[in-house]
């Protein structure tokens, strides 16, 4: 269950907490204790961050006080979900929000309770934000409880910086390409996940543009690609959302 909350605003914490608990209860009833709440910033609502997605500078980030508020809100939501439903919470870093760059992901992880809040590593957003997902996997290790597979087109990334595109313009121009067509090293990521014994969910997220054909055809190409990198035999439980490839065993 995806829950966006403007965590930098302390007045949004209570409403975000209530919304997250409602979703968590539904998930628990429908899917059991393995379900996760995916907490995120209220992305693409702050103009400066939306306009500078993929090219933010430290000056555009949060102050120390704002970080404390943000982290406290994330811990608060995760704690309440755990106490009231028993489900775990992961944070989804995202371009166009206040947790985009590797440094910002690291600041949030260092500022929150590792027993309450895990990390949803999104390979595409982490790469577009300037990081190497393999490095993140090794660095955060067992704190990664959920993974999103997403690829990034380096040519579109470079063009977005030169032409100063905002988040939505970059997406419309295909910054998130199909798996295996961009810069993300999925074979290397699959190897790291296998070595670490990852047994969580892997969700393939694909923004399907008109030039890609039907969503079903795009999902099939992603599924076919994953089979070429040996993910099927990586020793992980591999699952996907309705937004992407069907579930496979």
């Amino acid at each position: 269950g995806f829950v966006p909350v403007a965590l930098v605003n302390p007045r949004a914490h209570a409403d975000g907490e209530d919304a997250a608990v409602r979703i968590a209860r539904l998930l628990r009833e429908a899917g059991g204790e393995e379900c996760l709440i995916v907490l995120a910033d209220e992305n693409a609502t702050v103009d400066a961050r939306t306009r500078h997605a993929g090219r933010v500078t430290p000056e555009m980030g949060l102050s120390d006080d704002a970080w404390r508020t943000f982290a406290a809100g994330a811990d608060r939501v995760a704690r309440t979900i755990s106490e009231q439903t028993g489900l775990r919470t992961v944070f989804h870093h995202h371009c166009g929000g206040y947790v985009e760059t590797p440094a910002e992901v690291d600041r949030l992880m260092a500022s929150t309770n590792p027993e309450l809040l895990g990390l949803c590593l999104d390979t595409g957003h982490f790469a577009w934000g300037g990081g190497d997902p393999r490095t993140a996997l090794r660095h955060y290790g067992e704190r990664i409880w959920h993974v999103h597979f997403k690829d990034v087109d380096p040519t579109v990334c470079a063009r977005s910086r030169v032409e100063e595109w905002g988040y939505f313009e970059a997406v419309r121009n295909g910054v998130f390409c199909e798996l295996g067509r961009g810069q993300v090293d999925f074979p290397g990521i699959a190897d790291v996940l296998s070595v670490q014994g990852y047994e969580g969910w892997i969700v393939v997220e694909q923004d399907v543009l008109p030039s890609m054909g039907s969503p079903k055809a795009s999902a099939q190409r992603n599924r076919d690609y994953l089979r070429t990198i040996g993910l099927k035999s990586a020793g992980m439980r591999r699952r996907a959302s309705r937004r992407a490839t069907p579930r496979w065993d």
Side-chain angles (χ1 to χ4, degrees):
F2 186 80
V3 181
V5 181
L7 293 166
V8 73
N9 178 7
R11 293 185 297 277
H13 292 181
D15 287 344
E17 182 181 41
D18 291 343
V21 168
R22 286 197 300 272
I23 293 172
R25 285 174 174 157
L26 288 172
L27 284 174
R28 180 61 188 258
E29 292 175 4
E33 62 183 14
E34 288 190 2
C35 293
L36 293 164
I37 288 295
V38 180
L39 178 64
D41 189 13
E42 197 172 28
N43 300 305
T45 59
V46 176
D47 183 63
R49 299 291 301 209
T50 306
R51 285 189 294 108
H52 293 88
R55 50 192 171 84
V56 297
T57 62
E59 293 74 24
M60 299 174 192
L62 298 174
S63 66
D64 288 343
D65 285 344
W67 268 116
R68 283 189 282 271
T69 298
F70 196 104
D75 273 347
R76 171 179 173 173
V77 171
R79 180 180 294 106
T80 302
I81 289 170
S82 177
E83 290 175 350
Q84 296 194 19
T85 71
L87 298 189
R88 296 187 300 169
T89 301
V90 292
F91 187 88
H92 186 334
H93 57 95
H94 198 286
C95 291
Y98 275 123
V99 184
E100 172 179 320
T101 68
E104 290 169 339
V105 173
D106 202 53
R107 179 73 181 261
L108 181 66
M109 291 293 97
S111 303
T112 50
N113 187 334
E115 296 182 1
L116 291 174
L117 189 70
L119 179 64
C120 169
L121 179 65
D122 186 301
T123 61
H125 282 280
F126 199 80
W128 189 15
D132 182 344
R134 295 169 304 176
T135 301
L137 284 170
R138 296 187 183 100
H139 181 64
Y140 298 114
E142 294 183 358
R143 199 163 182 192
I144 295 176
W145 303 342
H146 190 44
V147 176
H148 286 181
F149 269 16
K150 202 174 185 80
D151 210 347
V152 173
D153 187 322
T155 301
V156 178
C157 278
R159 188 180 172 195
S160 72
R161 295 185 184 102
V162 171
E163 302 195 23
E164 300 184 345
W165 290 341
Y167 176 80
F168 294 108
E169 190 168 6
V171 171
R172 285 194 298 270
N173 279 277
V175 70
F176 293 126
C177 57
E178 291 175 352
L179 303 187
R181 302 188 178 192
Q183 70 185 62
V184 176
D185 178 11
F186 290 105
I189 289 169
D191 287 344
V192 175
L193 288 172
S194 181
V195 168
Q196 292 180 338
Y198 179 74
E199 293 188 341
W201 286 72
I202 297 174
V203 174
V204 178
E205 290 192 320
Q206 184 64 62
D207 298 275
V208 181
L209 304 178
S211 61
M212 294 178 179
S214 72
K216 182 178 179 180
S218 179
Q220 185 64 58
R221 288 191 291 272
N222 281 332
R223 178 172 180 167
D224 292 343
Y225 171 76
L226 290 174
R227 284 175 168 162
T228 70
I229 66 172
L231 189 60
K232 185 175 178 59
S233 60
M236 295 172 280
R237 289 180 292 171
R238 300 159 299 276
R239 303 171 181 173
S241 75
R242 59 181 177 82
R243 295 179 55 192
T245 61
R247 178 177 174 174
W248 67 93
D249 297 308

